[in-house]
Amino acid sequence: MAILENIRKRTTVLILIIGLALFAFVISGIFTSNGFSDGKVGSTVAEVNGEEIPIEDFRNQVERLSRRVGPNTTSMQLVNSVWNQMLRTTILDQQIDDLGIAIEKDQIINLIRSNPAFVQNPQFQDENGNFDERRFREFIAELKATAPAQYEQWLQDEDAIVQAAKEQMYLNLVRAGVGATLKEGELDYQLSNNKVDIKYVRVPYSSIPDSSVTVSKKEIQTYIKENKETFKQEKARDIQFVYFQEMPSAADEKAIEDDITALLKDRVEYIESEDTTDTIAGFVNTSDYDAFLDRNSDTKFDTIYKSKKELPTQFADSIFNLPVGEIFGPYKDNGALKVTKMVDKKANGSVKASHILIAYEGARRANPNVKRTKEEAEAKAQELLAEAKKQGTVFAELARDNSDGPSAPQGGDLGYFQEGVMTPKFNDFAFDNAVGTIGLVETEFGYHIVKVDDKQDVVQLATLSRSIEPSEETINSLFTDATKFEMAATSGDKPLTELSNESGYLLRPVNKIKAMDENLPGLGAQRTIVQWAFNPDTEVGDIKRFNINNGYAVVQLTEKYKEGTMSVEDASATVLPILRKKKKAEMIKNANQGKTMEAIASANNSTISTASALTVKSPTIPGAGREPMVVGTAFSMKQGETSGLIAGETGVFMIEVTNRTEAPKLDNYITYARSLQANNANRINVDVYNALKEKAEIEDNRASFY
């Protein structure tokens, strides 16, 4: 009833919004080309090294995947998942075709024989449990004759099996060419085991304030030109928005509270057909909780008894301590206003127990591997009972080592349960004995050594609940506010920043949105906003209002980024610290040129430190961090030699090598060579595809369709 009332409340505003939406649709169709899913038949979603991926094929794959995944997967997640798979397949197929790798039809059955999904299916096994090719072929023939849709699905599965096999053959060929010589193994051994000890002084870059180092725009520009690959950028957009969120007002919450309060009391209703009145019991006096809550609450009557820890934390004490028949509330919990009534209480109504099950052959649900007789099981149970009762015995360990039950890995812990959940004899022992009692119980499952771990009181509650939602008046007011703000913003009289400040609205920026993005911080999944931002007709400064879940967003496009090399402004956040550090290194070097280690330490308020057992493979200096340049320099020096000034990651160093330890020579380095080869082979699947993808010419047209 409460839900129906909310639907009725929204009817007026829904009609208004639908009408405006239809009007906007008609107008936009006349004045602008704003469609994003009207690709022509035969058009392509992508082109990879000149090979087209038809949009029809792509959509079929998206549709197929949508039938396999859960309902929480968004359309863009489906699109991106299919994109990644089709891109990989296309790129690898081009290599496979160039090499002439193919899977013949007679090889497919061998692939199926190696697939557990088919081999372990009883439908395709003979009397001995072995894969039966004849049964499999008959099954496929039956599909073809009687179930065309399922047969089509099988053909797609068959293609996927063949594709996976071809890709594996290709990657195995690449893998076969990846090796490691004994010399490479020897080098790897030395890099890991040759060690050097140093003492050093460091002048950190932080000793020079950033404000004292000037980096010009031209210097940043030069650095970008010299490192173009590092500063590539995709097409991107910046937006800013004001979010008008549908939220209940204080007046809405008060009205809901008044409704709930009125339902607590009895009320008199006039029955016209009988020309009489009837008293309808309120929540305080009703005993038919099912009917009352079904008529008046957003949640139904829950008959299950609950422990205190299962109640809302903030109100658990107040609710749990209510006398039977008393109420608590109204209170706010999980987006709803509630009143809770104590219906019943059970002392020790929930028991926590652990057990050790000793099963025997023939007992219910006994593991087929259990071969002991009932007499042997009883004897073992008696032994374990005596052991469990001994001082100092840890029951959980005893259960882990001896129990035949599924709870053995948890130390026999069965958790909390209420009356009637367990088999009768087990149930009676748990509820009739005090906490700490250990005893033996025989059931149809075997013999149980049972320990009563804890008991809890439980209560049965009836809760009258109403969701706190905005009223029709609040929704209409929000729509009016959003529309007025949009009109003021599009008039151009004031910048959006100034307008939002004057109106008291929060203006939020979102930077570097990509063409295939979906989720926007603060708004969630809003694909239509992203599409609008990338529409060629949308210019920087344009403003549009979007109807979104629970409200409206007035959005402005603030910046467009072209594909290519970053501008100085965009790259400066990355480049500035790099160039600043280089300049600081030169300043520190110039100030300390020709000085000894001791003089540098004294002049820069620093100390001389030591570091031992440094290796090239782990170039981390305690107290300074990862410093590959410094450690690498140390390995190029002789013992007792002092370096010049070295620009490291965190500062400028001067080091002295105090000791060098060469790793002892081995008879051969085959173990290290094999380890290198295995590591290289393990990276083949990812590295080969990534290298091919980076080299490929890819034209991505997804944003034109989705």
Side-chain angles (χ1 to χ4, degrees):
M1 180 176 177
I3 294 170
L4 290 174
E5 286 178 6
N6 284 331
I7 292 173
R8 284 197 295 270
K9 282 181 183 178
R10 292 172 177 262
T11 302
T12 303
V13 74
L14 283 173
I15 292 170
L16 179 62
I17 291 172
I18 291 168
L20 286 169
L22 288 171
F23 178 75
F25 176 77
V26 172
I27 295 300
S28 65
I30 295 172
F31 291 103
T32 179
S33 174
N34 203 20
F36 285 85
S37 299
D38 55 353
K40 295 178 181 178
V41 175
S43 54
T44 59
V45 73
E47 192 173 298
V48 182
N49 295 324
E51 180 180 346
E52 295 181 345
I53 299 178
I55 185 60
E56 294 92 337
D57 293 351
F58 191 85
R59 282 174 173 158
N60 288 339
Q61 290 295 329
V62 172
E63 174 62 26
R64 186 182 179 198
L65 181 61
S66 70
R67 294 195 295 267
R68 295 184 175 184
V69 300
N72 294 328
T73 307
T74 68
S75 59
M76 288 311 299
Q77 287 173 328
L78 291 171
V79 167
N80 292 335
S81 179
V82 170
W83 167 259
N84 291 332
Q85 183 56 50
M86 291 191 80
L87 188 62
R88 176 185 171 86
T89 298
T90 303
I91 288 173
L92 290 179
D93 257 356
Q94 291 171 350
Q95 300 297 312
I96 289 166
D97 290 345
D98 286 347
L99 293 172
I101 297 171
I103 301 292
E104 302 301 329
K105 285 290 181 182
D106 58 355
Q107 293 177 279
I108 295 176
I109 197 67
N110 293 328
L111 297 175
I112 291 168
R113 284 181 180 279
S114 63
N115 191 321
F118 298 109
V119 174
Q120 295 175 11
N121 189 333
Q123 189 174 4
F124 308 134
Q125 293 176 345
D126 59 20
E127 295 75 10
N128 299 317
N130 298 317
F131 178 75
D132 189 330
E133 180 183 332
R134 178 184 57 81
R135 292 189 180 189
F136 180 78
R137 289 186 183 276
E138 288 175 354
F139 172 76
I140 298 301
E142 182 71 16
L143 281 185
K144 186 175 182 180
T146 62
Q150 288 178 280
Y151 179 68
E152 185 62 33
Q153 179 68 44
W154 155 248
L155 292 179
Q156 293 176 350
D157 290 340
E158 184 184 59
D159 288 343
I161 292 169
V162 171
Q163 179 64 28
K166 289 195 295 185
E167 288 182 11
Q168 196 57 52
M169 288 176 66
Y170 168 71
L171 293 170
N172 284 342
L173 288 172
V174 178
R175 195 174 285 109
V178 175
T181 65
L182 291 177
K183 266 296 179 189
E184 288 173 316
E186 181 180 1
L187 176 61
D188 187 62
Y189 167 75
Q190 290 172 348
L191 293 177
S192 298
N193 294 282
N194 288 348
K195 294 181 174 64
V196 65
D197 300 344
I198 64 171
K199 66 178 182 179
Y200 68 92
V201 63
R202 178 182 66 136
V203 183
Y205 296 130
S206 58
S207 63
I208 299 177
D210 289 351
S211 57
S212 64
V213 181
T214 303
V215 178
S216 69
K217 183 176 180 179
K218 187 175 182 180
E219 288 172 318
I220 295 174
Q221 200 167 34
T222 301
Y223 186 87
I224 294 169
K225 285 182 180 178
E226 292 172 352
N227 299 273
K228 282 185 178 180
E229 289 300 311
T230 306
F231 296 98
K232 281 184 177 179
Q233 70 176 11
E234 300 176 45
K235 283 183 180 178
R237 300 288 186 267
D238 289 349
I239 64 169
Q240 56 185 1
F241 68 89
V242 172
Y243 181 24
F244 294 83
Q245 187 175 9
E246 277 188 8
M247 294 179 66
S249 65
D252 296 337
E253 189 170 330
K254 180 65 168 60
I256 295 168
E257 185 175 350
D258 290 344
D259 286 347
I260 284 184
T261 303
L263 287 168
L264 301 181
K265 305 169 187 175
D266 297 348
R267 69 182 190 276
V268 177
E269 282 190 359
Y270 174 68
I271 304 173
E272 187 175 357
S273 60
E274 300 177 11
D275 192 24
T276 186
T277 58
D278 187 19
T279 300
I280 307 298
F283 189 54
V284 171
N285 294 322
T286 188
S287 57
D288 189 352
Y289 300 109
D290 268 322
F292 186 90
L293 295 180
D294 194 47
R295 287 196 308 269
N296 300 296
S297 177
D298 289 341
T299 55
K300 296 185 180 297
F301 179 45
D302 185 356
T303 59
I304 296 172
Y305 284 75
K306 291 181 170 56
S307 63
K308 183 177 177 180
K309 66 180 182 181
E310 295 176 276
L311 304 182
T313 306
Q314 187 178 354
F315 310 105
D317 286 332
S318 300
I319 295 172
F320 200 77
N321 294 324
L322 284 172
V324 173
E326 294 295 312
I327 65 169
F328 173 77
Y331 62 95
K332 193 188 297 186
D333 176 51
N334 200 24
L337 273 176
K338 300 178 179 179
V339 175
T340 295
K341 184 176 181 181
M342 180 65 68
V343 176
D344 191 23
K345 290 187 174 186
K346 285 184 182 178
N348 296 327
S350 178
V351 174
K352 184 176 187 289
S354 304
H355 79 140
I356 303 169
L357 172 63
I358 306 301
Y360 54 83
E361 192 171 14
R364 187 177 176 187
R365 296 183 192 166
N367 190 306
N369 296 327
V370 174
K371 300 300 181 184
R372 68 173 74 91
T373 65
K374 183 176 181 180
E375 291 74 20
E376 289 171 337
E378 183 178 11
K380 183 174 181 181
Q382 291 288 359
E383 289 175 13
L384 289 169
L385 176 63
E387 183 68 25
K389 289 184 173 182
K390 286 181 182 177
Q391 186 93 15
T393 297
V394 180
F395 191 91
E397 292 179 2
L398 205 62
R400 271 195 294 268
D401 296 339
N402 297 280
S403 181
D404 296 323
S407 64
Q410 291 79 45
D413 186 5
L414 297 170
Y416 285 93
F417 52 89
Q418 293 184 26
E419 191 86 39
V421 173
M422 298 295 181
T423 190
K425 290 182 181 179
F426 194 106
N427 179 87
D428 293 346
F429 181 89
F431 281 92
D432 292 346
N433 288 283
V435 173
T437 303
I438 299 175
L440 184 63
V441 177
E442 181 186 353
T443 74
E444 65 270 30
F445 302 103
Y447 292 92
H448 308 256
I449 298 92
V450 184
K451 180 174 180 249
V452 182
D453 295 318
D454 190 25
K455 293 192 176 185
Q456 291 181 339
D457 295 346
V458 291
V459 295
Q460 187 184 49
L461 304 168
T463 298
L464 172 60
S465 173
R466 287 284 182 91
S467 296
I468 304 172
E469 295 183 345
S471 64
E472 181 181 3
E473 182 182 352
T474 299
I475 293 171
N476 288 339
S477 176
L478 184 76
F479 177 76
T480 302
D481 290 345
T483 304
K484 285 181 178 178
F485 184 79
E486 178 195 18
M487 292 172 65
T490 53
S491 70
D493 294 339
K494 294 179 181 178
L496 197 62
T497 305
E498 184 181 340
L499 190 62
S500 59
N501 286 337
E502 287 181 359
S503 306
Y505 298 134
L506 176 62
L507 184 64
R508 295 187 248 185
V510 182
N511 298 325
K512 297 295 178 69
I513 301 168
K514 303 296 190 299
M516 291 307 296
D517 283 350
E518 179 179 28
N519 288 304
L520 300 179
L523 292 176
Q526 298 298 335
R527 183 65 191 153
T528 53
I529 295 178
V530 178
Q531 290 175 324
W532 170 79
F534 279 88
N535 187 335
D537 295 335
T538 305
E539 301 292 341
V540 172
D542 284 359
I543 294 171
K544 185 175 180 179
R545 175 175 56 80
F546 292 86
N547 297 347
I548 62 176
N549 293 336
N550 299 319
Y552 313 92
V554 176
V555 185
Q556 182 179 45
L557 180 65
T558 55
E559 189 62 72
K560 289 185 177 183
Y561 301 92
K562 294 180 180 179
E563 184 177 7
T565 306
M566 288 185 186
S567 66
V568 171
E569 291 74 22
D570 296 335
S572 61
T574 303
V575 178
L576 193 57
I578 296 171
L579 297 182
R580 193 181 281 142
K581 187 164 77 170
K582 283 185 176 182
K583 290 198 171 190
K584 287 184 180 183
E586 289 304 312
M587 292 167 69
I588 293 170
K589 283 183 177 182
N590 292 336
N592 293 281
Q593 203 66 47
K595 292 181 181 177
T596 64
M597 195 178 292
E598 290 76 12
I600 292 172
S602 176
N604 293 277
N605 195 26
S606 185
T607 58
I608 297 175
S609 304
T610 61
S612 58
L614 302 176
T615 67
V616 173
K617 273 208 163 182
S618 300
T620 300
I621 300 175
R626 186 174 172 81
E627 291 289 352
M629 178 64 73
V630 178
V631 175
T633 302
F635 273 92
S636 70
M637 296 165 58
K638 297 176 182 178
Q639 185 169 322
E641 187 178 352
T642 301
S643 73
L645 293 166
I646 308 165
E649 295 297 316
T650 61
V652 174
F653 291 74
M654 179 178 282
I655 64 173
E656 179 187 335
V657 176
T658 56
N659 188 46
R660 292 178 62 101
T661 305
E662 302 292 331
K665 293 188 179 297
L666 303 180
D667 292 337
N668 69 67
Y669 298 92
I670 187 67
T671 302
Y672 289 88
R674 284 175 178 168
S675 177
L676 276 177
Q677 183 174 353
N679 288 338
N680 292 337
N682 288 337
R683 297 200 309 268
I684 288 296
N685 284 21
V686 175
D687 289 356
V688 168
Y689 171 65
N690 286 342
L692 292 171
K693 181 181 175 183
E694 187 174 343
K695 185 183 175 184
E697 294 181 5
I698 301 169
E699 182 182 323
D700 182 358
N701 301 322
R702 283 177 296 163
S704 298
F705 300 94
Y706 297 96

